[in-house]
Coordinates of all heavy atoms in Angstrom, one line a residue:
I145 N -41.5 66.6 203.3 CA -42.0 65.2 202.9 C -42.5 65.3 201.4 O -43.4 66.1 201.1 CB -43.1 64.7 203.9 CG1 -42.7 64.8 205.4 CG2 -43.6 63.4 203.5 CD1 -43.6 64.4 206.4
T146 N -42.0 64.4 200.6 CA -42.2 64.6 199.2 C -42.8 63.3 198.5 O -42.6 62.2 199.0 CB -40.9 65.0 198.5 OG1 -39.9 64.0 198.8 CG2 -40.5 66.4 198.9
P147 N -43.5 63.5 197.4 CA -44.1 62.3 196.7 C -43.1 61.8 195.6 O -42.1 62.4 195.4 CB -45.3 62.9 196.1 CG -45.0 64.3 195.7 CD -43.9 64.7 196.7
W148 N -43.6 60.8 194.9 CA -42.7 60.1 193.9 C -42.9 60.7 192.5 O -42.1 60.3 191.6 CB -43.0 58.6 193.9 CG -44.5 58.3 193.9 CD1 -45.2 58.0 195.0 CD2 -45.4 58.3 192.8 NE1 -46.5 57.8 194.6 CE2 -46.7 58.0 193.3 CE3 -45.2 58.5 191.4 CZ2 -47.7 57.9 192.4 CZ3 -46.3 58.4 190.6 CH2 -47.6 58.1 191.1
N149 N -43.9 61.5 192.2 CA -44.2 61.8 190.8 C -43.2 62.8 190.1 O -43.0 62.8 188.9 CB -45.7 62.1 190.6 CG -46.0 63.4 191.2 OD1 -45.4 63.8 192.2 ND2 -47.1 64.0 190.7
I154 N -39.7 68.2 192.9 CA -40.4 68.6 194.1 C -39.5 68.7 195.4 O -39.5 69.7 196.1 CB -41.6 67.7 194.5 CG1 -42.7 67.9 193.4 CG2 -42.2 68.0 195.8 CD1 -43.9 67.1 193.5
K172 N -37.7 63.7 204.0 CA -38.1 62.3 203.8 C -38.8 62.1 202.4 O -39.9 62.6 202.1 CB -39.1 61.8 204.8 CG -39.2 60.3 204.8 CD -40.7 59.8 205.0 CE -41.6 59.6 203.8 NZ -41.2 58.5 203.0
P173 N -38.1 61.6 201.4 CA -38.7 61.4 200.1 C -39.6 60.2 200.1 O -39.6 59.4 201.0 CB -37.4 61.1 199.3 CG -36.4 60.5 200.2 CD -36.7 61.0 201.5
A174 N -40.4 60.1 199.0 CA -41.2 58.9 198.8 C -40.4 57.6 198.7 O -39.4 57.6 198.2 CB -42.1 59.1 197.6
S175 N -41.0 56.6 199.3 CA -40.2 55.4 199.3 C -40.1 54.7 197.9 O -39.2 53.9 197.7 CB -41.0 54.3 200.2 OG -41.1 54.8 201.5
D176 N -40.9 55.1 197.0 CA -40.8 54.7 195.5 C -39.6 55.3 194.8 O -39.2 54.7 193.8 CB -42.1 54.8 194.8 CG -43.1 53.8 195.1 OD1 -42.8 52.6 195.1 OD2 -44.2 54.2 195.5
G203 N -37.8 55.8 204.4 CA -38.6 54.8 205.1 C -40.1 55.1 205.0 O -40.4 56.2 204.4
E204 N -40.9 54.2 205.4 CA -42.3 54.4 205.2 C -43.0 55.6 205.8 O -42.6 56.0 206.9 CB -43.1 53.1 205.6 CG -43.1 52.8 207.0 CD -43.4 51.3 207.3 OE1 -42.5 50.5 207.2 OE2 -44.5 51.0 207.6
G205 N -43.9 56.1 205.0 CA -44.5 57.4 205.4 C -45.1 57.5 206.8 O -44.7 58.4 207.6
S206 N -45.9 56.5 207.2 CA -46.6 56.6 208.4 C -45.5 56.6 209.6 O -45.7 57.2 210.6 CB -47.6 55.6 208.6 OG -47.0 54.3 208.4
G209 N -42.1 59.5 208.2 CA -42.9 60.8 208.1 C -43.6 61.1 209.3 O -43.5 62.3 209.8
G210 N -44.2 60.1 210.0 CA -44.9 60.4 211.2 C -43.9 60.9 212.3 O -44.3 61.8 213.1
V213 N -43.3 64.6 211.8 CA -44.4 65.4 212.1 C -44.6 65.5 213.6 O -45.0 66.6 214.1 CB -45.7 64.8 211.4 CG1 -46.9 65.5 212.0 CG2 -45.6 64.8 209.9
F223 N -45.3 69.7 203.0 CA -45.8 68.3 202.5 C -46.4 68.5 201.1 O -47.2 69.3 200.9 CB -46.8 67.7 203.5 CG -47.4 66.5 202.9 CD1 -46.8 65.3 203.0 CD2 -48.7 66.5 202.4 CE1 -47.3 64.1 202.4 CE2 -49.3 65.4 201.9 CZ -48.7 64.2 201.9
T224 N -46.0 67.6 200.2 CA -46.7 67.4 198.9 C -47.1 65.9 198.8 O -46.2 65.0 199.0 CB -45.8 67.8 197.7 OG1 -45.4 69.2 197.9 CG2 -46.5 67.7 196.5
G225 N -48.4 65.7 198.6 CA -48.8 64.3 198.5 C -50.3 64.3 198.5 O -51.0 65.2 198.0
S226 N -50.9 63.2 199.0 CA -52.3 63.0 198.8 C -53.1 63.8 199.8 O -52.6 64.1 200.9 CB -52.6 61.5 198.9 OG -52.3 61.0 200.2
L227 N -54.3 64.0 199.5 CA -55.3 64.7 200.4 C -55.4 64.0 201.8 O -55.4 64.6 202.8 CB -56.6 64.8 199.7 CG -57.8 65.4 200.6 CD1 -57.5 66.8 201.1 CD2 -59.1 65.4 199.8
T229 N -53.3 61.9 203.4 CA -52.0 62.2 204.2 C -52.0 63.6 204.7 O -51.6 63.9 205.8 CB -50.8 61.8 203.4 OG1 -50.9 60.5 202.9 CG2 -49.6 61.7 204.4
W232 N -54.1 64.3 207.6 CA -53.5 63.7 208.9 C -52.4 64.6 209.4 O -52.3 64.9 210.5 CB -53.0 62.3 208.6 CG -52.5 61.6 209.8 CD1 -53.2 60.9 210.7 CD2 -51.1 61.6 210.2 NE1 -52.4 60.5 211.7 CE2 -51.1 60.9 211.5 CE3 -49.9 62.1 209.7 CZ2 -49.9 60.7 212.1 CZ3 -48.7 61.9 210.4 CH2 -48.7 61.2 211.6
I233 N -51.4 65.0 208.5 CA -50.4 65.9 208.8 C -50.9 67.2 209.4 O -50.4 67.6 210.5 CB -49.4 66.1 207.7 CG1 -48.7 64.8 207.3 CG2 -48.5 67.2 207.9 CD1 -47.8 64.9 206.1
E247 N -49.4 70.7 199.7 CA -49.7 70.8 198.2 C -50.3 69.4 197.9 O -49.6 68.4 197.9 CB -48.5 71.0 197.4 CG -47.7 72.3 197.7 CD -48.5 73.5 197.3 OE1 -49.3 73.4 196.4 OE2 -48.2 74.6 197.9
L248 N -51.6 69.3 197.6 CA -52.3 68.0 197.5 C -52.9 67.8 196.2 O -52.3 68.2 195.2 CB -53.4 68.0 198.6 CG -52.9 68.4 200.0 CD1 -54.0 68.5 201.1 CD2 -51.7 67.6 200.5
G249 N -53.9 66.9 196.1 CA -54.4 66.4 194.8 C -55.1 67.4 193.9 O -55.3 68.6 194.2
G250 N -55.5 66.9 192.8 CA -56.3 67.7 191.8 C -57.2 66.9 191.0 O -57.1 65.6 190.9
C281 N -50.2 65.9 189.7 CA -51.3 66.6 190.4 C -52.1 67.5 189.6 O -53.2 67.8 189.8 CB -50.7 67.3 191.6 SG -49.4 68.4 191.2
E379 N -59.7 61.8 192.5 CA -58.4 61.8 191.7 C -58.0 60.3 191.4 O -57.9 59.6 192.4 CB -57.3 62.5 192.6 CG -56.0 62.6 191.9 CD -54.9 63.2 192.8 OE1 -54.8 62.8 193.9 OE2 -54.2 64.1 192.3
F381 N -55.2 59.4 189.4 CA -53.8 59.5 189.3 C -53.2 58.4 188.4 O -52.3 57.7 188.7 CB -53.1 59.4 190.7 CG -52.0 60.4 190.9 CD1 -52.2 61.7 190.7 CD2 -50.7 59.9 191.3 CE1 -51.1 62.6 190.8 CE2 -49.6 60.8 191.5 CZ -49.9 62.2 191.3
L407 N -56.8 72.7 191.8 CA -55.4 73.0 191.6 C -55.2 73.7 190.2 O -55.0 74.9 190.2 CB -54.5 71.7 191.6 CG -53.1 71.9 191.4 CD1 -52.4 72.9 192.2 CD2 -52.3 70.5 191.6
F446 N -47.3 78.4 192.8 CA -47.9 77.2 192.5 C -48.6 76.6 193.6 O -48.1 76.5 194.8 CB -46.8 76.1 192.1 CG -47.4 74.8 191.6 CD1 -47.7 74.6 190.3 CD2 -47.5 73.8 192.6 CE1 -48.3 73.4 189.9 CE2 -48.1 72.6 192.2 CZ -48.4 72.4 190.9
T452 N -57.2 71.2 197.7 CA -55.9 71.0 197.2 C -54.7 71.5 198.1 O -53.5 71.1 198.0 CB -55.8 71.7 195.8 OG1 -56.6 70.9 194.9 CG2 -54.3 71.8 195.2
Ligands
NAP505 P1 -48.8 60.1 199.7 O1 -49.1 58.7 199.8 O2 -49.6 61.0 200.5 O3 -47.2 60.2 200.0 C1 -46.5 61.4 199.9 C2 -45.4 61.3 200.9 O4 -45.9 61.3 202.2 C3 -44.5 60.1 200.8 O5 -43.1 60.5 201.1 C4 -45.0 59.2 201.8 O6 -44.1 58.2 202.2 C5 -45.4 60.2 202.9 N1 -46.4 59.7 203.8 C6 -47.4 58.8 203.7 N2 -48.1 58.7 204.8 C7 -47.6 59.5 205.7 C8 -47.9 59.9 207.1 N3 -48.9 59.3 207.7 N4 -47.1 60.8 207.6 C9 -46.1 61.5 207.0 N5 -45.8 61.1 205.8 C10 -46.5 60.2 205.1 O7 -48.9 60.6 198.2 P2 -48.2 60.0 196.9 O8 -49.1 58.8 196.4 O9 -46.8 59.7 197.1 O10 -48.3 61.1 195.8 C11 -49.4 61.3 195.0 C12 -50.3 62.4 195.5 O11 -49.5 63.6 195.6 C13 -51.4 62.8 194.6 O12 -52.6 63.0 195.3 C14 -50.9 64.0 193.9 O13 -52.0 64.8 193.4 C15 -50.2 64.7 194.9 N6 -49.3 65.7 194.4 C16 -49.5 67.1 194.6 C17 -48.7 68.0 194.2 C18 -49.0 69.4 194.3 O14 -48.1 70.2 194.2 N7 -50.2 69.9 194.7 C19 -47.6 67.6 193.4 C20 -47.3 66.3 193.2 C21 -48.2 65.3 193.8 P3 -44.1 56.8 201.5 O15 -43.7 57.0 200.1 O16 -43.1 56.0 202.2 O17 -45.5 56.2 201.6

Side-chain angles (χ1 to χ4, degrees):
I145 302 174
T146 54
W148 44 263
N149 65 335
I154 293 178
K172 193 217 94 66
S175 301
D176 283 308
E204 65 202 81
S206 56
V213 171
F223 171 76
T224 299
S226 63
L227 173 58
T229 312
W232 183 83
I233 289 178
E247 301 293 337
L248 311 175
C281 50
E379 186 183 47
F381 223 55
L407 181 52
F446 181 89
T452 290

